[in-house]
Amino acid sequence: MHHELSLITTIAAALGFGLLFGMLAVRLKLPALVGYLAAGIVIGPATPGFVADVGLASQLAEIGVMLLMFGVGLHFSLRDLLDVRRIALPGAVLQIGVATAMGIGMAHFWGWSLGAGLVFGLALSVASTVVLLRALESRGILDSMNGRIAVGWLVVEDLVTVLVLVLLPALAGPLGGKTDGGDTSLWLALGKTLLQVGAFVAFMLIVGRKLFPWFLWKVAKTNSRELFTLAVIAAAVGIAYGSSELFGVSFALGAFFAGMVLRESDLSHRAAEESLPLRDAFSVLFFVSVGMLFDPMVLVESPMKVLAVVLVIIFGKSIAAMVLVLALRYPLNTAITVSASLAQIGEFSFILAALGISLGLMPQEGQSLILAGAIISIAVNPLLFTAIEPLQRWLRANSEAVRKLEANPDPLAELPMTVPHEKLTGQVVLVGYGRVGRMIAAELTAQGVPYVVAEQNRELVDMLRRQDQPAVVGNAAEPAVLIQAHIARAAVMVIATPDTFHVRTMIETAKMLNPGIRCVVRTHNEQEAALLRTDTGGKVFLGEQELAGNMTRYVIATLKEAEHAH
């Protein structure tokens, strides 16, 4: 094979073997991504036979990370990020600190230097956004409250990692590594990084959120599907690359903000749909490239070290995250979901490991252990998500600490005694205060209709309470939450949350507490809408149908006005 065709060879081998091993994994009742990782090991340099180009595979995988983060941004607004800042910001920072300390402790026990332990611990602390998104999307909880918290948490981790990648070269000398001969101070490097990141965020929020949606509309007016798809991909990759070159932020973070600003356009759903096939294909290349970097001999030469790394990734930092989430008074289900989300490592860990080796801070063995931990944790991660519900039931049944924590009165979980009685009779119980919920609430307020909000986001409930709006925190699928919302005296329950997983339970609980309650549900899926109508008997509004109906009514009204005018 001529070297000019190495790109085609690498893509063909990665996708071909990925398909083969992915199908085999599914037949064995395993997640498909386990097959992708196995395919990477087979075509990697550590196994005999055909060897693909590792460098090219890594670059192709980077494109996959960009496209996937771009897709997340298309579904994740700035408001969503701000809504979870009080849990994502302190939680991510503290969790990184705990995991890094564990890594430093292990490195010290193995006789490594402090610098090696620092890089090693940081690499173990950063979860893979790619793996998380695949897990959330496959379970349909990406747009749920738990999904938004997990994504926000990882966005904060990415921001912290960007700072670390810039500061590490300046710290290499004092930590016993190589220096580039420059005299750049730590504080100067930190200030420069903060300035670059701040400039990038400001540019995207001030200029980007107007410029890029306008550009997308211009392309859409050509009525060319090819040009529109090209514009979406070019925007995702171009903005990611430009942000890295001009502002020094990572490709992934740049692509994420590109998606966020393009979300301001009404064409964001079409953009997400057009880019989906490429995102899926390149995400496969990401997992295959991870497998190509792995040397299976590390499992034979250092099995106990590999076990220690896996335990820190899957249990150590996950337990730390769960404790932090529970300490911030979020439900047990949220704590376990976030913990499962963080129980793996990925792309940023590899970048940190490579930088640590190039600076002479970490031995080559450290990279092998990090890759082993990544492979195993990525393969096990889907099983952890499957275990969320059983683990939740087991903890409530067997953990006295969890029972005490859940039994401990939460001021936001109970309506204040000062709420007027007339606001709690014949009221609307509004489940979810996201984008749709806010619009419904605004219209109810304008019409003078009393309502009580049930929302899982503590910050939103706290804000509503300060505005004298009755609101309770919690999952409306739990009877205690609906009881606090006075569902027994309510006239209507409106479920405005995109989390359709618990809708049936919410309606069943509401009708058990108030047999005469009328329920209204939103959905974007025709099959889901049909099932909800059959199973719950509630009024189901399908987004596309309502949009089409309103547009049709407007057209008919316009035609009638034109007839009367003539």
Side-chain angles (χ1 to χ4, degrees), residues 38-54:
I41 296 173
V42 169
I43 65 174
T47 53
F50 171 78
V51 177
D53 190 318
V54 177

Side-chain angles (χ1 to χ4, degrees), residues 169-306:
L171 288 168
L175 290 172
K178 302 174 186 176
T179 60
D180 57 7
D183 56 355
T184 304
S185 70
L186 172 61
W187 292 110
L188 184 61
L190 178 60
K192 181 182 177 182
T193 302
L194 292 175
L195 187 63
Q196 287 177 317
V197 173
F200 169 69
V201 173
F203 174 80
M204 294 301 289
L205 295 181
I206 296 172
V207 179
R209 69 190 307 177
K210 295 185 179 296
L211 176 63
F212 298 120
W214 171 83
F215 168 70
L216 210 60
W217 269 111
K218 288 292 183 183
V219 176
K221 287 181 179 179
T222 65
N223 294 321
S224 171
R225 181 174 180 178
E226 295 174 20
L227 285 177
F228 185 82
T229 303
L230 179 60
V232 172
I233 302 302
V237 178
I239 294 173
Y241 177 76
S243 64
S244 177
E245 288 295 310
L246 299 176
F247 298 99
V249 303
S250 67
F251 290 136
L253 198 63
F256 174 77
F257 274 93
M260 281 183 63
V261 298
L262 283 180
R263 190 184 181 283
E264 301 295 324
S265 169
D266 292 335
L267 296 169
S268 60
H269 287 292
R270 182 182 169 189
E273 183 179 349
E274 297 290 349
S275 61
L276 183 61
L278 273 175
R279 295 203 323 257
D280 287 343
F282 277 98
S283 66
V284 171
L285 291 176
F286 165 77
F287 291 110
V288 173
S289 71
V290 172
M292 291 172 66
L293 295 171
F294 179 58
D295 183 1
M297 286 305 296
V298 72
L299 300 175
V300 178
E301 296 170 354
S302 307
M304 297 310 296
K305 289 183 179 180
V306 172

Side-chain angles (χ1 to χ4, degrees), residues 442-460:
E443 188 61 30
L444 291 175
T445 301
Q447 297 295 329
V449 177
Y451 63 94
V452 178
V453 175
E455 167 63 52
Q456 295 189 66
N457 191 322
R458 298 180 61 82
E459 285 69 41
L460 290 178

